[in-house]
Amino acid sequence: MKYDYLIIGSGLFGATFAHLACNVGKRCLVIEKRSHTGGNVYCDNIADINVHKYGAHIFHTSDEEIWNFVNSIVPFNRYTNCPIAKAPNGRMYNLPFNMNTFYQMWGVMTPEEANAKLSEQRLEAQLRMKREGVSDPRNLEEQALMLIGKDIYEQLIKGYTEKQWGRKCTELPAFIIRRLPVRLTFDNNYFNDNFQGIPIGGYNRLIDGLLEGTDLKLNTDFFSDRTYFESLADKIVFTGKIDEFYNYRFGKLEYRTVRFETEIIDMPNWQGNAVVNYTSIDVPFTRIIEHKHFELFGDRVYSNSKTVISREYSSEWQEGMEPFYPINDNKNEELYLKYKAIAQTEKNVIFGGRLAEYKYYDMAPLIKHAFDIFMKQK
Ligand code: FAD
Ligand code: UDP
């Protein structure tokens, strides 16, 4: 049978596209090189807990249409991301930077007191820059000092950022934290979006729902028999690495990756929160995720006597590792543009998703993007 679409990759982009196409009667075949569907949102079930195998995923959006769409596939729970940071001084702080953080850092209790303290710290940074004859922040460190001051920079930003990017804050561009949220309210919700949550029963249910009605082949790499797979359908939706699609003819795109160390612990509640950041440079990992807190709230945490945690280590990507974050520097951007230019000349291949477009997408914008691309097909 000839398919309308051969979709390479069963991540959120491929699965959403397949769902939309099937809904209008198109025949789709999804091939996936891994032994499971879902791409990076896939969860492993360990000790009856959904473990976010490729990194913690929190769905958040203000787009009501996308929120209603995902909830029509599987209802989402009320998880609200409120990370905690363990600082080099041994104390814990709420994130994002808000009145709770300022109280914990300086003992200030009102927005006015917090503002006064922030102004004092910013002034110090301004004077320092003036002494050095600098008008605009030249790097991330100067930007952070201007935005939030020395105390928070040293305790909550410096170590974490240097671990995450593998470079000194003085060598990182200022724009990374130009929009650092500073909240003068007691609000620990990490996101500003109207909607957030985790699919009830886990992300695999979302992916299974999206792939209903689609033919699927796991453990199948498109490049293992490219000519054969290309003959199966009128059109191809490619969600793998764009440089691999073109046999790396211009060179290899680079990524940053994260290594996870996952451990089952024989106690019901280990750190009391889903996300705890470790902001000291002396701790080798950036954060620890305790997965059960994404789905079990209040006393329900104790309904499972075990828990599963993952330590996250940020590192440079090498062949064989998972390519997670595209590197947005000039070298990689220029290389991507070369691939994009030939991709645009393809008549029967659609490139979509984070690997095919060499672009970081959060889940909700990615789904919206799949909708937009699909609409253009009709
Ligand atoms: P992928 O999920 O990578 O899917 C691509 C699929 O294609 C994979 O399954 C792959 O195996 C398959 N494939 C590739 N090449 C081939 C081939 N040759 N043959 C067959 N199959 C192939 N977003 C949020 O909104 N909130 C979050 O909290 C969040 N956290 C994140 C944390 C991390 C560590 C990362 C990396 C991303 C996070 N995201 C988050 C973003 C989210 O993961 C993406 O938006 C989404 O997963 C991208 O889906 P995709 O389909 O484009 O790619
Ligand atoms: N950040 C920080 N301390 C923290 C958390 C975040 O300094 O405890 C900074 C850091 O520079 C990071 C940026 O804020 O690169 C964005 O962090 P977030 O965890 O939101 O980024 P993501 O992992 O989602 O890209």
Side-chain angles (χ1 to χ4, degrees), residues 58-71 76-81 189-199 203 362-365:
I58 302 141
F59 197 96
H60 57 98
T61 184
S62 286
D63 185 330
E64 197 165 357
E65 201 187 322
I66 296 299
W67 181 245
N68 289 340
F69 170 71
V70 291
N71 274 272
F76 276 54
N77 70 21
R78 63 140 181 99
Y79 176 77
T80 307
N81 197 32
N189 182 349
Y190 201 65
F191 300 114
N192 288 314
D193 287 311
N194 291 343
F195 311 105
Q196 73 179 289
I198 305 283
Y203 282 96
D362 268 334
M363 291 180 279

Side-chain angles (χ1 to χ4, degrees), residues 33 164-165 241 243-244 248 251-259 313-327 332 354-355 358:
K33 69 175 175 187
Q164 190 172 34
W165 296 96
K241 285 161 60 189
D243 53 355
E244 191 176 13
Y248 306 107
K252 287 190 178 183
L253 290 163
E254 295 170 318
Y255 297 85
R256 268 195 86 72
T257 194
V258 184
R259 182 170 62 81
Y313 299 81
S314 181
S315 78
E316 221 56 68
W317 179 76
Q318 281 162 4
E319 205 61 51
M321 291 176 165
E322 289 296 340
F324 278 150
Y325 299 104
I327 297 181
N332 284 286
R354 61 182 199 96
L355 298 170
Y358 194 65

Side-chain angles (χ1 to χ4, degrees), residues 104-208:
Q104 292 149 351
M105 185 68 67
W106 300 311
V108 291
M109 293 191 190
T110 64
E112 202 181 354
E113 286 169 17
N115 235 341
K117 194 74 196 171
L118 283 166
S119 302
E120 182 189 306
Q121 298 241 323
R122 285 174 183 144
L123 186 65
E124 228 175 86
Q126 276 164 5
L127 290 174
R128 202 183 95 175
M129 281 180 53
K130 212 171 165 188
R131 277 197 303 275
E132 290 172 20
V134 180
S135 53
D136 287 324
R138 292 167 297 185
N139 53 50
L140 192 147
E141 175 169 294
E142 287 177 358
Q143 180 73 65
L145 291 170
M146 294 283 285
L147 281 171
I148 198 111
K150 180 167 162 284
D151 293 349
I152 289 184
Y153 171 66
E154 284 179 354
Q155 290 304 322
L156 301 175
I157 297 177
K158 189 173 190 290
Y160 188 91
T161 304
E162 293 188 346
K163 284 190 286 188
Q164 190 172 34
W165 296 96
R167 280 156 72 189
K168 296 262 172 245
C169 286
T170 46
E171 290 159 17
L172 284 165
F175 79 85
I176 297 185
I177 55 160
R178 203 156 279 159
R179 283 179 299 136
L180 198 72
V182 178
R183 270 189 209 150
L184 291 174
T185 53
F186 289 91
D187 179 4
N188 295 327
N189 182 349
Y190 201 65
F191 300 114
N192 288 314
D193 287 311
N194 291 343
F195 311 105
Q196 73 179 289
I198 305 283
I200 294 176
Y203 282 96
N204 299 357
R205 291 191 58 202
L206 174 64
I207 297 292
D208 290 350

Side-chain angles (χ1 to χ4, degrees), residues 2 7 21 55 73 78 102 122 154 161 167 213 243 255 259 267 272 283 296 304 338 342-343:
K2 186 105 171 165
I7 299 170
I73 308 289
R78 63 140 181 99
F102 305 140
R122 285 174 183 144
E154 284 179 354
T161 304
R167 280 156 72 189
D243 53 355
Y255 297 85
R259 182 170 62 81
M267 61 167 71
V283 178
L296 297 175
N304 185 333
K338 286 190 187 167
I342 29 172

Side-chain angles (χ1 to χ4, degrees), residues 348-362:
N348 296 321
V349 189
I350 299 159
F351 293 84
R354 61 182 199 96
L355 298 170
E357 297 176 66
Y358 194 65
K359 179 174 174 185
Y360 180 85
Y361 280 105
D362 268 334

